Amino acid sequence: QVQLVESGGGLVQPGGSLRLSCAASGRAFSSYAMGWFRQAPGKEREFAAAISWTGGSTSNADSVKGRFTISRDNAKNKVLLQMNSLKPEDTAVYYCNGPVVAGRSGDYWGQGTQVTVSS
């Protein structure tokens, strides 16, 4: 069992930055590839970024490449998402998830954190 709790969302102007944090509990966390997914109003949940269990490999959706960076600290049981150059279309609820396999979500979800990009 893994419990996930996201934090760090909020309101930011276009071009701004936010850093999301996912705190995980459960022994299996450090052996899981983890990811961030997002769901905008009226749209399906979509993949944003993922990171291998070692942190040595990452992947990003085309829509966030060059702007979002995923990282993890297994000693602190955390997964981070640094979001730069934010756009209004990044507005969504962001969810931490694992284990992620080939970009597909796993069984464990956090409650989500709202990110709103607006002037």
Side-chain angles (χ1 to χ4, degrees), residues 10-100:
L11 173 64
V12 63
Q13 292 187 342
S17 298
L18 280 176
R19 189 175 78 161
L20 304 184
S21 179
C22 172
S25 61
R27 292 183 177 182
F29 165 78
S30 60
S31 65
Y32 286 168
M34 297 294 295
W36 289 92
F37 291 74
R38 65 185 185 180
Q39 187 167 20
K43 294 187 177 181
E44 293 187 355
R45 196 171 297 187
E46 64 177 9
F47 169 77
I51 188 166
S52 64
W53 70 274
T54 64
S57 177
T58 63
S59 61
N60 292 281
D62 288 343
S63 58
V64 307
K65 278 181 180 176
R67 301 187 299 120
F68 290 12
T69 302
I70 187 171
S71 60
R72 69 189 296 164
D73 185 338
N74 286 343
K76 296 182 178 179
N77 276 18
K78 286 190 174 180
V79 180
L80 305 174
L81 186 67
Q82 178 67 42
M83 307 186 295
N84 299 327
S85 302
L86 283 161
K87 304 175 182 180
E89 51 264 43
D90 294 318
T91 295
V93 179
Y94 284 72
Y95 297 90
C96 183
N97 175 264
V100 175

